[in-house]
Amino acid sequence: MQNIDWENLDFSYMKTPLRFVNNYKDGKWDKGALTEDDKVTITECAGVLQYSQSVFEGLKAYRTKDNRVVTFRADLNAERMVNSAIRLEMPPYPAEKFLEAVDMTVKANEDYVPPYGSGATLYIRPYMFGSNAVIGVKPANEYQFRVFVTPVGPYFKGGAIPITLRVCDYDRAAPHGTGNIKAGLNYAMSLQAIVEAHRLGFDENLYLDAAERKYVEETGGANFIFVKKDGTIVTPRSDSILPSITRRSICFVAEHYLGLKVEQRRVLFDEVSEFAECGVCGTAAVISPVGAIFDHGKLIKFPSGMDKPGEITEKLYETLTKIQYGEIEAPEGWLREIK
């Protein structure tokens, strides 16, 4: 194992020795291989540079209590990447090849999987982009699929300390647009908004629906989890938000491990002040508690407070992470061991 200060890692890129590369040309994927070369060489007219034809995924590898290395629900990442590629007229990368590429890349960089109990994980980034010259507005016909890994610490500084959000005046995704796929272009549009939020002292943005601006959608990179005063879990349902694997896992954990009622429905922003707890969830952060939301001069404070996560949010986080680290038995198929 590498000599790294695992407990003080932040969420940033650290180059690891090997990554996986696979090319698509003449209607088929080649075999793909690991390489030490971390540089991507493409034409100046590549489809990804001219028309943002790119999709990506994010998942993690964990070192369990009994020293196994596992990934969490990687099959759902493979499935989601297929759906993202179809939406952008890209050749779907086969799900089984996706899983094999992830396994191979993690195994090749196993020394960078943080030790159990360190609070760090190995972040895995599969991505695909149009690589040949495209000057007219049309899909590329050559693509590159790559996977790299990097050890990371918590996404938000301070770990489980509640964060603050502001209601954003920008729209994240239009109805019938690309908000429900993991395309790079969705995240590009959020960059100005997140820089502005940070400048004003907020951790993230809360986006409302673009059509009516009255329903909660998501943040720039995470889904919402709300908790009613009676302990019921509520998550926003919308065709223009990303189908988060973490959110789906949390809902399952809430219902089947903690015995809580779960509602997946449209959530009016006007009802947010009535919830007892709030959190944002995703691969990077798992669950980050939200202490307050700033809405154009009005401050919504959750009863759970700004000092620590709410009771239910904390139970959800602890249960899900114990499943990921092998401390609690996982549902069948959730953990994929790297051998």
Side-chain angles (χ1 to χ4, degrees):
M1 189 177 294
Q2 292 294 310
N3 184 21
I4 294 172
D5 186 3
W6 303 107
E7 295 183 3
N8 291 306
L9 283 177
D10 57 9
F11 199 90
S12 61
Y13 173 74
M14 178 189 297
K15 180 183 173 182
T16 51
L18 291 160
R19 66 272 312 130
F20 179 84
V21 181
N22 200 179
N23 291 293
Y24 180 90
K25 188 175 182 179
D26 298 327
K28 59 186 178 183
W29 292 100
D30 64 23
K31 289 181 64 176
L34 292 170
T35 177
E36 294 181 356
D37 189 0
D38 64 327
K39 302 298 187 290
V40 178
T41 302
I42 51 176
T43 171
E44 62 186 354
C45 196
V48 62
L49 301 178
Q50 303 308 315
Y51 302 115
S52 300
Q53 202 180 13
S54 68
V55 296
F56 71 99
E57 275 300 322
L59 63 157
K60 288 180 175 179
Y62 306 81
R63 195 176 295 276
T64 65
K65 193 172 184 178
D66 58 1
N67 206 38
R68 293 178 297 135
V69 174
V70 300
T71 53
F72 180 72
R73 307 199 77 178
D75 58 319
L76 296 186
N77 292 97
E79 177 187 303
R80 190 168 64 184
M81 194 167 195
V82 166
N83 293 333
S84 296
I86 290 171
R87 178 63 178 83
L88 292 191
E89 281 297 324
M90 304 170 77
Y93 196 74
E96 192 54 44
K97 286 174 68 70
F98 176 102
L99 295 172
E100 290 171 0
V102 167
D103 289 355
M104 191 184 305
T105 311
V106 172
K107 182 66 178 177
N109 297 282
E110 192 170 346
D111 282 354
Y112 287 83
V113 181
Y116 169 79
S118 65
T121 52
L122 187 73
Y123 188 78
I124 307 164
R125 172 53 59 86
Y127 61 110
M128 183 169 65
F129 54 87
S131 55
N132 68 294
V134 179
I135 196 64
V137 181
K138 61 181 181 180
N141 52 39
E142 295 179 14
Y143 296 86
Q144 190 168 105
F145 171 84
R146 299 176 69 100
V147 183
F148 70 80
V149 298
T150 183
V152 296
Y155 188 73
F156 290 106
K157 293 178 180 178
I161 302 300
I163 61 174
T164 57
L165 311 179
R166 65 148 188 178
V167 177
C168 191
D169 291 327
Y170 297 106
D171 291 328
R172 179 190 159 272
H176 313 297
T178 57
N180 64 339
I181 65 168
K182 207 164 178 67
L185 55 90
N186 292 341
Y187 294 79
M189 62 69 52
S190 73
L191 295 178
Q192 185 177 38
I194 192 64
V195 169
E196 188 177 278
H198 289 168
R199 180 173 55 81
L200 295 171
F202 303 103
D203 296 290
E204 248 289 9
N205 292 292
L206 180 153
Y207 289 96
L208 300 174
D209 73 290
E212 300 178 84
R213 294 196 60 79
K214 66 180 184 180
Y215 293 99
V216 176
E217 291 268 284
E218 61 175 81
T219 71
N223 282 190
F224 276 99
I225 295 286
F226 297 104
V227 183
K228 287 183 175 181
K229 291 182 174 67
D230 66 0
T232 299
I233 306 300
V234 180
T235 67
R237 182 188 294 278
S238 168
D239 291 336
S240 55
I241 64 175
L242 191 71
S244 165
I245 294 164
T246 304
R247 175 185 53 77
R248 284 179 274 174
S249 302
I250 288 169
C251 289
F252 185 92
V253 164
E255 190 171 2
H256 297 278
Y257 282 71
L258 301 180
L260 300 172
K261 183 180 176 184
V262 175
E263 296 178 3
Q264 299 184 58
R265 59 174 174 80
R266 301 192 79 183
V267 176
L268 283 164
F269 180 71
D270 286 348
E271 66 179 299
V272 166
S273 60
E274 301 170 10
F275 293 120
E277 300 176 30
C278 173
V280 294
C281 63
T283 297
V286 186
I287 308 175
S288 287
V290 175
I293 298 172
F294 185 79
D295 177 24
H296 302 88
K298 177 184 176 183
L299 189 63
I300 300 171
K301 291 185 177 180
F302 294 98
S304 51
M306 289 298 300
D307 297 323
K308 61 181 182 179
E311 181 182 353
I312 300 297
T313 302
E314 190 166 30
K315 284 182 179 177
L316 289 168
Y317 175 85
E318 288 180 353
T319 306
L320 184 58
T321 53
K322 284 181 178 179
I323 289 172
Q324 291 171 332
Y325 284 105
E327 298 175 43
I328 296 176
E329 185 175 355
E332 185 176 354
W334 278 29
L335 298 184
R336 179 180 175 94
E337 186 171 356
I338 308 297
K339 297 180 179 178

